[in-house]
Short mmCIF file of all heavy atoms in Angstrom, two decimals:
data_model
loop_
_atom_site.label_atom_id
_atom_site.label_comp_id
_atom_site.label_asym_id
_atom_site.label_seq_id
_atom_site.Cartn_x
_atom_site.Cartn_y
_atom_site.Cartn_z
N ALA A 42 0.97 17.43 45.44
CA ALA A 42 -0.35 17.57 46.07
C ALA A 42 -1.17 16.30 45.89
O ALA A 42 -1.33 15.80 44.77
CB ALA A 42 -1.09 18.76 45.48
N ARG A 43 -1.70 15.83 47.00
CA ARG A 43 -2.70 14.75 47.03
C ARG A 43 -3.86 15.33 47.83
O ARG A 43 -3.99 15.09 49.02
CB ARG A 43 -2.15 13.49 47.67
CG ARG A 43 -0.78 13.05 47.14
CD ARG A 43 -0.88 12.48 45.73
NE ARG A 43 0.42 12.09 45.20
CZ ARG A 43 1.10 12.79 44.31
NH1 ARG A 43 0.61 13.94 43.85
NH2 ARG A 43 2.26 12.37 43.85
N LEU A 44 -4.67 16.14 47.16
CA LEU A 44 -5.63 17.01 47.83
C LEU A 44 -7.04 16.45 47.76
O LEU A 44 -7.55 16.15 46.68
CB LEU A 44 -5.61 18.40 47.17
CG LEU A 44 -6.63 19.42 47.66
CD1 LEU A 44 -6.29 19.88 49.07
CD2 LEU A 44 -6.72 20.61 46.72
N ALA A 45 -7.69 16.34 48.92
CA ALA A 45 -9.11 16.02 48.99
C ALA A 45 -9.89 17.30 49.24
O ALA A 45 -9.48 18.14 50.05
CB ALA A 45 -9.38 15.01 50.09
N ILE A 46 -11.02 17.45 48.55
CA ILE A 46 -11.87 18.64 48.69
C ILE A 46 -13.22 18.17 49.21
O ILE A 46 -13.86 17.30 48.62
CB ILE A 46 -12.02 19.35 47.33
CG1 ILE A 46 -10.64 19.67 46.76
CG2 ILE A 46 -12.83 20.63 47.49
CD1 ILE A 46 -10.67 20.19 45.34
N VAL A 47 -13.65 18.76 50.34
CA VAL A 47 -14.89 18.35 51.00
C VAL A 47 -15.70 19.57 51.36
O VAL A 47 -15.24 20.71 51.24
CB VAL A 47 -14.58 17.50 52.26
CG1 VAL A 47 -13.76 16.27 51.91
CG2 VAL A 47 -13.86 18.33 53.32
N GLY A 48 -16.92 19.32 51.84
CA GLY A 48 -17.76 20.43 52.29
C GLY A 48 -18.79 20.84 51.24
O GLY A 48 -19.35 19.99 50.54
N ALA A 49 -19.04 22.14 51.13
CA ALA A 49 -20.09 22.64 50.25
C ALA A 49 -19.74 24.05 49.80
O ALA A 49 -18.74 24.63 50.23
CB ALA A 49 -21.43 22.64 50.99
N GLY A 50 -20.56 24.60 48.92
CA GLY A 50 -20.36 25.98 48.52
C GLY A 50 -19.32 26.18 47.44
O GLY A 50 -18.69 27.23 47.37
N GLY A 51 -19.15 25.18 46.57
CA GLY A 51 -18.25 25.36 45.44
C GLY A 51 -17.11 24.36 45.35
O GLY A 51 -16.05 24.69 44.81
N LYS A 52 -17.31 23.15 45.85
CA LYS A 52 -16.24 22.14 45.82
C LYS A 52 -15.78 21.83 44.40
O LYS A 52 -14.58 21.84 44.11
CB LYS A 52 -16.72 20.82 46.44
CG LYS A 52 -16.74 20.77 47.92
CD LYS A 52 -16.85 19.34 48.42
CE LYS A 52 -17.93 18.54 47.71
NZ LYS A 52 -19.29 19.05 47.95
N THR A 53 -16.72 21.54 43.51
CA THR A 53 -16.34 21.16 42.16
C THR A 53 -15.71 22.34 41.43
O THR A 53 -14.71 22.17 40.70
CB THR A 53 -17.56 20.64 41.38
OG1 THR A 53 -18.17 19.57 42.12
CG2 THR A 53 -17.15 20.12 40.01
N SER A 54 -16.25 23.53 41.62
CA SER A 54 -15.63 24.71 41.03
C SER A 54 -14.20 24.88 41.54
O SER A 54 -13.28 25.20 40.78
CB SER A 54 -16.44 25.97 41.37
OG SER A 54 -17.73 25.91 40.79
N ALA A 55 -14.01 24.66 42.85
CA ALA A 55 -12.67 24.76 43.42
C ALA A 55 -11.74 23.73 42.80
O ALA A 55 -10.59 24.04 42.47
CB ALA A 55 -12.73 24.59 44.93
N MET A 56 -12.21 22.51 42.64
CA MET A 56 -11.36 21.46 42.09
C MET A 56 -10.88 21.80 40.68
O MET A 56 -9.68 21.70 40.37
CB MET A 56 -12.11 20.11 42.07
CG MET A 56 -11.26 18.95 41.55
SD MET A 56 -12.01 17.33 41.80
CE MET A 56 -13.37 17.41 40.62
N PHE A 57 -11.79 22.25 39.82
CA PHE A 57 -11.38 22.58 38.45
C PHE A 57 -10.57 23.88 38.41
O PHE A 57 -9.65 24.01 37.58
CB PHE A 57 -12.61 22.66 37.54
CG PHE A 57 -13.12 21.30 37.11
CD1 PHE A 57 -14.25 20.76 37.70
CD2 PHE A 57 -12.46 20.57 36.14
CE1 PHE A 57 -14.73 19.52 37.31
CE2 PHE A 57 -12.93 19.33 35.74
CZ PHE A 57 -14.06 18.80 36.34
N THR A 58 -10.87 24.82 39.29
CA THR A 58 -10.08 26.06 39.35
C THR A 58 -8.64 25.75 39.74
O THR A 58 -7.68 26.27 39.14
CB THR A 58 -10.70 27.04 40.35
OG1 THR A 58 -12.01 27.39 39.92
CG2 THR A 58 -9.86 28.31 40.46
N ILE A 59 -8.47 24.90 40.74
CA ILE A 59 -7.12 24.50 41.18
C ILE A 59 -6.40 23.76 40.06
O ILE A 59 -5.22 24.01 39.78
CB ILE A 59 -7.20 23.63 42.44
CG1 ILE A 59 -7.74 24.43 43.62
CG2 ILE A 59 -5.83 23.04 42.77
CD1 ILE A 59 -8.15 23.57 44.79
N ALA A 60 -7.10 22.82 39.42
CA ALA A 60 -6.48 22.02 38.37
C ALA A 60 -5.99 22.89 37.22
O ALA A 60 -4.86 22.72 36.72
CB ALA A 60 -7.46 20.98 37.87
N ASN A 61 -6.80 23.83 36.80
CA ASN A 61 -6.39 24.71 35.69
C ASN A 61 -5.24 25.63 36.10
O ASN A 61 -4.36 25.92 35.29
CB ASN A 61 -7.59 25.52 35.20
CG ASN A 61 -8.51 24.69 34.32
OD1 ASN A 61 -8.11 24.15 33.31
ND2 ASN A 61 -9.77 24.58 34.73
N ALA A 62 -5.23 26.05 37.36
CA ALA A 62 -4.12 26.88 37.83
C ALA A 62 -2.82 26.09 37.84
O ALA A 62 -1.77 26.59 37.44
CB ALA A 62 -4.43 27.41 39.23
N LEU A 63 -2.88 24.83 38.30
CA LEU A 63 -1.68 23.98 38.29
C LEU A 63 -1.20 23.75 36.86
O LEU A 63 0.01 23.76 36.59
CB LEU A 63 -1.97 22.65 38.98
CG LEU A 63 -2.08 22.68 40.50
CD1 LEU A 63 -2.62 21.35 41.03
CD2 LEU A 63 -0.74 22.99 41.14
N LYS A 64 -2.13 23.55 35.95
CA LYS A 64 -1.77 23.33 34.54
C LYS A 64 -1.08 24.57 33.97
O LYS A 64 -0.07 24.47 33.26
CB LYS A 64 -3.02 22.99 33.73
CG LYS A 64 -2.75 22.77 32.24
CD LYS A 64 -4.02 22.42 31.50
CE LYS A 64 -4.94 23.62 31.34
NZ LYS A 64 -6.08 23.33 30.44
N GLN A 65 -1.60 25.75 34.29
CA GLN A 65 -1.03 26.98 33.74
C GLN A 65 0.32 27.31 34.37
O GLN A 65 1.20 27.86 33.71
CB GLN A 65 -2.01 28.13 33.97
CG GLN A 65 -3.28 28.01 33.15
CD GLN A 65 -4.37 28.96 33.61
OE1 GLN A 65 -4.13 29.84 34.44
NE2 GLN A 65 -5.58 28.79 33.09
N CYS A 66 0.49 26.95 35.66
CA CYS A 66 1.76 27.26 36.33
C CYS A 66 2.91 26.46 35.75
O CYS A 66 4.04 26.95 35.71
CB CYS A 66 1.64 26.97 37.83
SG CYS A 66 0.63 28.15 38.74
N ASN A 67 2.63 25.24 35.31
CA ASN A 67 3.70 24.37 34.81
C ASN A 67 3.15 23.49 33.70
O ASN A 67 2.92 22.29 33.88
CB ASN A 67 4.26 23.52 35.95
CG ASN A 67 5.60 22.92 35.60
OD1 ASN A 67 6.07 23.01 34.46
ND2 ASN A 67 6.24 22.28 36.57
N PRO A 68 2.93 24.06 32.51
CA PRO A 68 2.26 23.33 31.44
C PRO A 68 3.03 22.12 30.93
O PRO A 68 2.44 21.24 30.29
CB PRO A 68 2.10 24.38 30.35
CG PRO A 68 3.15 25.40 30.63
CD PRO A 68 3.28 25.43 32.13
N LEU A 69 4.33 22.04 31.20
CA LEU A 69 5.14 20.92 30.70
C LEU A 69 5.34 19.83 31.74
O LEU A 69 6.06 18.86 31.49
CB LEU A 69 6.50 21.45 30.24
CG LEU A 69 6.48 22.52 29.14
CD1 LEU A 69 7.90 22.95 28.81
CD2 LEU A 69 5.77 22.00 27.89
N ALA A 70 4.69 19.97 32.89
CA ALA A 70 4.94 19.04 34.00
C ALA A 70 4.11 17.76 33.90
O ALA A 70 4.27 16.87 34.73
CB ALA A 70 4.67 19.72 35.32
N GLY A 71 3.23 17.65 32.93
CA GLY A 71 2.36 16.49 32.86
C GLY A 71 0.95 16.83 33.29
O GLY A 71 0.65 17.98 33.63
N PRO A 72 0.06 15.85 33.30
CA PRO A 72 -1.34 16.14 33.59
C PRO A 72 -1.61 16.38 35.06
O PRO A 72 -0.80 16.05 35.93
CB PRO A 72 -2.04 14.86 33.12
CG PRO A 72 -1.02 13.79 33.34
CD PRO A 72 0.30 14.43 33.00
N VAL A 73 -2.75 16.99 35.32
CA VAL A 73 -3.30 17.11 36.66
C VAL A 73 -4.45 16.11 36.74
O VAL A 73 -5.40 16.20 35.96
CB VAL A 73 -3.81 18.53 36.94
CG1 VAL A 73 -4.34 18.63 38.37
CG2 VAL A 73 -2.71 19.55 36.70
N LEU A 74 -4.36 15.14 37.66
CA LEU A 74 -5.35 14.07 37.75
C LEU A 74 -6.47 14.45 38.71
O LEU A 74 -6.20 14.89 39.84
CB LEU A 74 -4.69 12.78 38.20
CG LEU A 74 -3.46 12.31 37.40
CD1 LEU A 74 -2.99 10.94 37.91
CD2 LEU A 74 -3.77 12.25 35.91
N LEU A 75 -7.71 14.29 38.27
CA LEU A 75 -8.89 14.56 39.08
C LEU A 75 -9.73 13.30 39.19
O LEU A 75 -9.79 12.50 38.24
CB LEU A 75 -9.75 15.65 38.44
CG LEU A 75 -9.44 17.13 38.73
CD1 LEU A 75 -8.01 17.46 38.35
CD2 LEU A 75 -10.40 18.04 38.01
N THR A 76 -10.37 13.14 40.35
CA THR A 76 -11.28 12.02 40.52
C THR A 76 -12.24 12.32 41.67
O THR A 76 -12.22 13.42 42.23
CB THR A 76 -10.50 10.71 40.76
OG1 THR A 76 -11.41 9.61 40.73
CG2 THR A 76 -9.75 10.72 42.09
N THR A 77 -13.06 11.36 42.01
CA THR A 77 -14.02 11.53 43.09
C THR A 77 -14.23 10.21 43.81
O THR A 77 -14.12 9.14 43.20
CB THR A 77 -15.37 12.05 42.56
OG1 THR A 77 -16.30 12.17 43.65
CG2 THR A 77 -15.96 11.11 41.52
N THR A 78 -14.49 10.29 45.10
CA THR A 78 -14.84 9.08 45.86
C THR A 78 -16.35 8.94 45.99
O THR A 78 -16.82 7.99 46.60
CB THR A 78 -14.22 9.14 47.27
OG1 THR A 78 -14.67 10.32 47.93
CG2 THR A 78 -12.70 9.13 47.20
N THR A 79 -17.11 9.90 45.42
CA THR A 79 -18.57 9.82 45.50
C THR A 79 -19.16 9.91 44.09
O THR A 79 -19.11 8.96 43.34
CB THR A 79 -19.13 10.93 46.41
OG1 THR A 79 -18.64 12.21 45.95
CG2 THR A 79 -18.68 10.73 47.84
N HIS A 80 -19.75 11.05 43.73
CA HIS A 80 -20.36 11.25 42.42
C HIS A 80 -20.03 12.66 41.92
O HIS A 80 -19.73 13.55 42.70
CB HIS A 80 -21.88 11.09 42.48
CG HIS A 80 -22.35 9.76 42.96
ND1 HIS A 80 -22.47 9.47 44.30
CD2 HIS A 80 -22.73 8.64 42.28
CE1 HIS A 80 -22.91 8.22 44.43
NE2 HIS A 80 -23.07 7.70 43.23
N LEU A 81 -20.13 12.83 40.61
CA LEU A 81 -20.06 14.15 39.99
C LEU A 81 -21.24 14.30 39.05
O LEU A 81 -21.69 13.32 38.44
CB LEU A 81 -18.76 14.31 39.19
CG LEU A 81 -17.46 14.55 39.95
CD1 LEU A 81 -16.30 14.61 38.97
CD2 LEU A 81 -17.52 15.84 40.75
N ALA A 82 -21.76 15.52 38.93
CA ALA A 82 -22.78 15.78 37.92
C ALA A 82 -22.18 15.57 36.54
O ALA A 82 -21.04 15.99 36.27
CB ALA A 82 -23.32 17.19 38.06
N VAL A 83 -22.91 14.92 35.66
CA VAL A 83 -22.39 14.58 34.34
C VAL A 83 -21.94 15.84 33.59
O VAL A 83 -20.89 15.86 32.95
CB VAL A 83 -23.45 13.81 33.52
CG1 VAL A 83 -22.99 13.64 32.08
CG2 VAL A 83 -23.73 12.46 34.15
N GLU A 84 -22.73 16.94 33.70
CA GLU A 84 -22.36 18.15 32.96
C GLU A 84 -21.07 18.77 33.49
O GLU A 84 -20.37 19.46 32.76
CB GLU A 84 -23.50 19.17 33.00
CG GLU A 84 -23.84 19.72 34.37
CD GLU A 84 -24.92 18.92 35.09
OE1 GLU A 84 -25.17 17.76 34.68
OE2 GLU A 84 -25.51 19.45 36.04
N GLN A 85 -20.74 18.52 34.76
CA GLN A 85 -19.51 19.07 35.31
C GLN A 85 -18.27 18.40 34.72
O GLN A 85 -17.19 19.01 34.66
CB GLN A 85 -19.50 18.93 36.83
CG GLN A 85 -20.54 19.80 37.53
CD GLN A 85 -20.61 19.53 39.02
OE1 GLN A 85 -20.47 18.39 39.47
NE2 GLN A 85 -20.84 20.58 39.80
N CYS A 86 -18.41 17.18 34.28
CA CYS A 86 -17.27 16.44 33.74
C CYS A 86 -16.70 17.11 32.48
O CYS A 86 -15.52 16.92 32.14
CB CYS A 86 -17.66 15.01 33.42
SG CYS A 86 -18.20 14.05 34.86
N ALA A 87 -17.53 17.89 31.79
CA ALA A 87 -17.07 18.53 30.55
C ALA A 87 -16.01 19.59 30.80
O ALA A 87 -15.36 20.04 29.86
CB ALA A 87 -18.27 19.15 29.83
#
């Protein structure tokens, strides 16, 4: 997956929900990489 998430109504929640699901599905497969081409709220980074 090389997934871009756009729009409104829960983008950041969707990104972290997807990432945690991928991590749980295959915990030994390595990390799930997240990033942004714009900005993120500092508190969301936690």
